[in-house]
Structures are given as C-alpha cells and as structure tokens.
Amino acid sequence: MKENLKEGLKRNIYHELATHDVVKKEEKDRFTGSFSHMSYTFGKYRIEKHWDYISMSKFNPDNNHFVYMNNAGWDDDYPTNTTYEIYIAAMNKAEGKKYKDPYKIPAKETIKDSQKRFKQEMLENAADFLPYDMPKQLALRTIAEMKQVLTNNLKKHYTKQK
C-alpha cells in the first residue's frame, strides 16, 4: 500500500478543493485520440482517474506543469488511501454533489485538533530542534509554552475571521 500524505499537505489539498471550482476533463491519448483518463483539476492540484489507479499531481510554476505526488491502486489501496479519498471528494464536487471534507470543523474543534497535533509532533521531533543536553522537564515546559503561543495565535486568527 502507498504511504498516506502528511497531515499539513492533506489540509492544504482540502482547502484548495473547498475554495476552487473543480474542472472535470476527459483526457485523450495523444497518439490514438481515444479515451485515456478523467482529470479533476482544482487550485494547484490535479487528480487523474486511470483504468486501474488514481494519481495526484501538484502544479509546479517553475516549469509550468503538474508534477506527480502520489497514487492509489484500485486493488491494493481502495478505499483506505488518502489519494483515493481526495479523488472521491473532487469527483463529487465536480458533479455538484456533497463531499466529505474532514477539515471543515468548527473553530473550537480546529484549535483543539491543532494543539493535539502540535504537541504530538513536537514531542516526536524534539531531538531535532532542542539542545541534546536539555533536561527533560525543561524540554517539556518549552514545548508546553510553544503550544500556548500556538493556541493564542489560533484564537486570534479565528476571532479575527468572524
């Protein structure tokens, strides 16, 4: 099975999906002119549904084309792969149907979710950014203070949006 996408990338993709129209297009083989696959483009992302797999690409402005990111095979990855889930959401939006957006949650829940993820990431990766000889208690207190700054900034962000 393919590796699922990182949380931040998934959030970004679903944000692009929520804030952009989905352009559905039937792609043709450039040599034969026969049907090749369906593409769903929204914002800087594109999902392509081929006969036996789904691929996802992101637009690269440096070379002005879409670059492969991830894929999901029907047999191995259906239906637990994030790429498959995003494909279903894009297809539904393109057809005017409701789609599942796992990140469309109230501000209060978003803040709690972000706090939880932040703390988890910081604890898992503390050795990458804190001094190696920092006492554990000081490291935990530092992470807690960083989490509090995040929380305060998120509250300001969501208060400002109303």
Side-chain angles (χ1 to χ4, degrees):
M1 184 185 327
K2 304 287 184 276
E3 181 179 326
N4 274 328
L5 304 173
K6 297 278 185 190
E7 198 63 33
L9 180 58
K10 288 190 290 188
R11 286 181 187 212
N12 188 278
I13 292 169
Y14 274 102
H15 176 74
E16 291 280 308
L17 182 60
T19 57
H20 292 84
D21 290 334
V22 177
V23 177
K24 178 181 177 180
K25 185 176 176 187
E26 187 175 298
E27 304 284 349
K28 307 274 184 190
D29 183 280
R30 66 182 184 176
F31 299 113
T32 65
S34 61
F35 174 79
S36 172
H37 62 275
M38 293 299 296
S39 70
Y40 301 86
T41 305
F42 53 95
K44 57 188 169 202
Y45 297 98
R46 176 177 288 164
I47 301 280
E48 295 177 350
K49 179 192 173 277
H50 298 266
W51 294 108
D52 57 349
Y53 69 97
I54 301 164
S55 67
M56 184 167 27
S57 305
K58 182 178 181 179
F59 186 74
N60 182 341
D62 293 336
N63 54 16
N64 202 29
H65 72 275
F66 284 87
V67 178
Y68 170 83
M69 291 172 51
N70 198 8
N71 71 15
W74 289 114
D75 295 336
D76 300 332
D77 303 324
Y78 170 85
T80 59
N81 184 282
T82 303
T83 300
Y84 175 81
E85 293 168 357
I86 294 169
Y87 156 70
I88 295 296
M91 181 185 67
N92 285 341
K93 184 170 183 180
E95 295 174 1
K97 298 177 184 176
K98 286 188 174 191
Y99 65 94
K100 182 181 174 186
D101 183 346
Y103 300 103
K104 188 172 182 156
I105 55 178
K108 197 173 190 177
E109 289 180 42
T110 301
I111 291 171
K112 284 183 180 178
D113 182 59
S114 292
Q115 289 172 321
K116 177 182 159 193
R117 291 180 191 283
F118 181 83
K119 183 178 179 184
Q120 180 181 347
E121 285 290 322
M122 292 299 106
L123 290 173
E124 288 175 7
N125 299 307
D128 293 339
F129 64 89
L130 292 175
Y132 70 92
D133 60 349
M134 181 180 264
K136 186 172 183 169
Q137 286 304 99
L138 180 56
L140 292 173
R141 187 170 52 236
T142 302
I143 291 170
E145 289 171 5
M146 293 167 62
K147 183 177 136 195
Q148 188 58 49
V149 170
L150 171 76
T151 302
N152 291 341
N153 287 336
L154 288 174
K155 286 179 180 175
K156 286 179 195 174
H157 170 72
Y158 284 109
T159 303
K160 182 176 65 173
Q161 280 188 343
K162 290 181 182 180

